[in-house]
Amino acid sequence: MKKLACVSAVVLTVGTLLFAQSAEDIAKRVHDVPEGKTGTCTAVLTLTDKSGKSRTREIASYSMKDGTIDKSVLVFRTPKDVAGVSYLSFEYPDKSDGTATDSDSWLYLPAMKKVRRVSGSSKDDDFQGTDFTYDDLGTRSLAKDTFALLGEEKVGDTDCWILEYTAKDAKAKVKRRVLWISKENYIPYKGEYYDKQNKLQKTLMCENIQQIDGYWTTLKMTMKNVQTNHQTMYELHDVSYDKPVDANYFTVSALERELVK
């Protein structure tokens, strides 16, 4: 999936789409949809437990393309108990031999006044109590999965391919991802996530997909853990692309100094 903070893609022509024949072709186009040079938005997260009790969190999100490196930073604004928690990630292109290059990620916890590195083995962990993982927040390397085209199906009125991603790592906590990919713009419209035992663990629904500043943007995503009956709704507001963003935000020092607001 593209960055959940500001999922986007430019309009693609029908003529271009016709060339997507194989599962690998489609996966690469999903992975490579263009993004703005910068992006900003506010995300409102609503977490609902199995009893129906909800709590809300607000996150500020910033992204910037620095050469071939995709940089992003998220910082919690509310509520008070998580305010200031921030997450910085650098994502790199795969190596020339086609193998994966792991991203660099750091998490800052203001209560401890400490930055800790997020290891690759933790990328399938839930992000700060939500139903989205650290891996969901970034752009997963194509080299980490094999792909299969399972068929075609409409999601509402949208024609989609059903694309299966299977993790090459036998120890991966998420064994398979099945995504319904729009034939129009290569944006996921829904998804299913399977655990190590190949049992359905989570479902994803994407709604209110529209163009902002010329980019397709998913403004509402709901991830539900069907095993725990816990869900997280992720809604974007004040989305903007290609506007100036302070490059100093994308540093470990900025996390430590609580510069990003």
Side-chain angles (χ1 to χ4, degrees):
M1 290 175 65
K2 304 305 289 178
K3 292 181 180 61
L4 289 172
C6 295
V7 181
S8 63
V10 294
V11 181
L12 300 173
T13 65
V14 173
T16 302
L17 295 174
L18 292 176
F19 287 98
Q21 299 293 330
S22 71
E24 289 75 15
D25 288 335
I26 297 169
K28 189 174 189 309
R29 287 179 180 271
V30 173
H31 181 275
D32 292 345
V33 287
E35 297 178 310
K37 293 180 180 179
T38 63
T40 63
C41 65
T42 298
V44 176
L45 282 68
T46 303
L47 287 68
T48 306
D49 64 22
K50 61 182 180 181
S51 66
K53 183 179 179 180
S54 295
R55 51 201 171 106
T56 301
R57 297 176 176 180
E58 182 179 293
I59 293 177
S61 170
Y62 304 89
S63 63
M64 181 181 73
K65 182 171 283 294
D66 185 4
T68 61
I69 305 173
D70 291 326
K71 299 181 177 181
S72 63
V73 63
L74 307 175
V75 59
F76 284 87
R77 289 175 172 166
T78 62
K80 186 177 180 179
D81 63 331
V82 295
V85 171
S86 49
Y87 176 67
L88 173 67
S89 181
F90 293 176
E91 295 176 350
Y92 310 99
D94 288 341
K95 299 174 184 177
S96 57
D97 63 1
T99 57
T101 302
D102 286 334
S103 61
D104 287 319
S105 304
W106 301 266
L107 183 70
Y108 173 68
L109 302 172
M112 301 175 64
K113 298 293 182 182
K114 183 178 180 180
V115 172
R116 71 173 179 85
R117 197 177 188 91
V118 180
S119 67
S121 61
S122 299
K123 294 298 176 68
D124 274 344
D125 290 346
D126 291 342
F127 176 66
Q128 293 297 297
T130 74
D131 295 285
F132 293 94
T133 66
Y134 287 92
D135 214 12
D136 292 332
L137 300 176
T139 306
R140 184 176 171 85
S141 167
L142 291 171
K144 293 183 177 181
D145 298 305
T146 59
F147 311 99
L149 186 57
L150 303 184
E152 302 177 7
E153 188 176 70
K154 282 184 178 288
V155 177
D157 296 326
T158 302
D159 290 319
C160 294
W161 289 292
I162 306 173
L163 187 64
E164 179 185 62
Y165 297 66
T166 301
K168 293 179 181 178
D169 183 358
K171 297 180 181 179
K173 295 176 184 177
V174 181
K175 180 175 182 179
R176 290 194 304 131
R177 298 167 172 85
V178 180
L179 300 178
W180 278 252
I181 306 297
S182 168
K183 294 183 179 182
E184 178 185 9
N185 52 29
Y186 293 98
I187 296 296
Y189 271 62
K190 74 173 186 176
E192 295 177 347
Y193 297 73
Y194 294 81
D195 63 18
K196 286 182 179 180
Q197 289 73 41
N198 201 27
K199 294 181 179 179
L200 180 63
Q201 181 182 33
K202 297 188 294 186
T203 60
L204 172 70
M205 289 301 302
C206 301
E207 302 172 84
N208 198 5
I209 299 170
Q210 57 181 271
Q211 290 185 54
I212 297 177
D213 295 335
Y215 297 87
W216 286 103
T217 305
T218 304
L219 294 176
K220 179 180 178 182
M221 291 164 281
T222 303
M223 187 77 84
K224 181 175 182 179
N225 188 318
V226 299
Q227 296 180 5
T228 64
N229 204 27
H230 188 282
Q231 74 172 33
T232 303
M233 184 170 64
Y234 201 113
E235 296 180 282
L236 305 186
H237 304 275
D238 304 320
V239 179
S240 179
Y241 299 100
D242 295 329
K243 304 295 191 302
V245 174
D246 190 343
N248 291 321
Y249 282 2
F250 306 95
T251 62
V252 173
S253 175
L255 301 189
E256 293 173 326
R257 292 184 289 133
E258 301 184 24
L259 176 65
V260 188
K261 304 292 183 181

